[in-house]
Amino acid sequence: MEIVIVPDAATGGELIARAIAELLTDKPDALLGVATGSTPLPVYRALKSRVEAGTLDASRARICQLDEYVGLPEGHPESYRAVVLREVVEPLGLTEASFLGPDGAAADIAAACAAYDRALAEAGGVDLQLLGIGTDGHIGFNEPCSSLASRTRIKTLTHQTREDNARFFDNLDEVPHHVITQGIGTILEARHLVLLATGEAKAEAVALAVEGPVAAVVPASALQLHPHATVVVDEAAASRLRLAGYFRETYAAKPAWQSI
Ligand code: PGA
């Protein structure tokens, strides 16, 4: 696992956008797994700037969703399908035809989850999966004690996650209790995992995920099992890392030709 400590969120966004741009140069129709929440927005801004400047052709990229609320009315502006279409798909000049996501409004949620895992496999698998981390250590919506082998399925949000996400809704009561999330086993099948964490509120979860034991109680610690996982953190999110000095030295000494 590579840990990259950047001065701020914008620098992290640029770094990850560069890796995505390199991937799309090598594989123009790469399947990019995207995350929602506030953290990845600098990545999407940096990608949009590249597309607008003509330095990135994302026209054949395919975008897929990590997780989704269950029970929001179709077209709700905070459904993650709506968020990904608004924050990623449209700014990159893509259409819904390039987009894959689970159906959070399906009558048969279990079937919708299984169908999404199949759709990801049939699409050739995710090339790069962008991840955030919850203050409780979740990735996707895999809350603490999610099976490390889990597949896409329905989960119940912790009170902490519902409180963290209440800012996107009028009040806490409107935050759904249930979600569909790619399982940890599903996430680990992506070829490259890139987790971005910014801000002091993430420092403890980052330290446990990176330097603690692999444990279901810290779902993000599953990244330790992946052969190509990159964790990009700003100074605040890195503030509890015991090995921060080593991670800085390693990155500073990295050969210029080597991407993340
Ligand atoms: P955030 O969410 O980026 O809004 O902090 C991260 C997450 O819950 O994975």
Side-chain angles (χ1 to χ4, degrees), residues 129-153:
Q129 177 66 56
L130 184 58
L131 298 165
I133 185 171
T135 55
D136 64 1
H138 71 213
I139 46 170
F141 270 141
N142 294 283
E143 297 287 32
C145 295
S146 289
S147 159
L148 299 181
S150 49
R151 311 300 306 174
T152 299
R153 69 216 182 289

Side-chain angles (χ1 to χ4, degrees), residues 35-40 66-67 80 131-136 138-141 161 164-165 167-168 196 198 202:
T36 46
S38 308
T39 311
L66 182 61
D67 45 17
Y80 282 174
L131 298 165
I133 185 171
T135 55
D136 64 1
H138 71 213
I139 46 170
F141 270 141
T161 298
D164 287 346
N165 287 6
R167 68 190 190 281
F168 296 112
L196 177 62
T198 52
K202 302 294 174 68

